[in-house]
Amino acid sequence: MLYAILCYNDENAVFSWSKEEEAATMARLHAVEKTLADKGKLGPVARLMPTTAATTLRKGKDEPLILDGPFAETKEQFLGFFVCDFETLDEALAFSKELAIANPGAGAYEIRPLYVFRPGAISS
């Protein structure tokens, strides 16, 4: 089963890391990812730009409203995700625990089963 592992953290803390802190964190995360990648079970991994780069389209009865910024003001922001292939939820949780150890600070990992609507490559 495919799982999306959604990564939440305080973007002000994450985006204020020094180059050294960033490099060390990414090296730790890469080490966790490598085991899964070597088994062919790691799909796309993405880090989102800060919420200040976001644009939100809100729907309603009238014309959609386009807003600068994220949908909600929260203490933690959705900063990225992993797509992984696991046999069980327990495997997904074990991988998420490894990510949590590798990634400093507070935050959370949300694990959700993933349904692929359109398998295949992204077309340009």
Side-chain angles (χ1 to χ4, degrees):
M1 160 140 324
L2 292 177
Y3 286 88
I5 300 174
L6 309 177
C7 309
Y8 295 87
N9 208 327
D10 177 352
E11 71 179 2
N12 291 324
V14 171
F15 287 103
S16 68
W17 290 341
S18 68
K19 288 183 181 181
E20 294 79 16
E21 290 171 311
E22 172 79 16
T25 300
M26 297 314 285
R28 288 190 305 270
L29 289 170
H30 180 71
V32 173
E33 296 165 10
K34 186 172 180 347
T35 303
L36 210 53
D38 289 348
K39 295 176 185 175
K41 294 188 168 270
L42 181 64
V45 175
R47 183 185 221 179
L48 301 176
M49 298 296 292
T51 56
T52 54
T55 301
T56 299
L57 186 143
R58 299 199 69 183
K59 8 182 258 184
K61 294 182 235 169
D62 301 318
E63 287 287 318
L65 178 62
I66 298 174
L67 307 167
D68 290 336
F71 175 73
E73 295 286 329
T74 61
K75 291 181 181 180
E76 295 175 346
Q77 292 78 36
F78 174 45
L79 298 184
F81 62 89
F82 297 79
V83 174
C84 308
D85 185 8
F86 296 110
E87 296 296 321
T88 66
L89 175 59
D90 287 339
E91 288 180 18
L93 289 169
F95 179 72
S96 300
K97 287 177 184 177
E98 290 182 50
L99 292 172
I101 291 167
N103 202 357
Y109 290 93
E110 180 179 339
I111 298 94
R112 287 195 206 179
L114 181 66
Y115 180 76
V116 177
F117 286 101
R118 290 190 196 175
I122 297 173
S123 59
S124 52

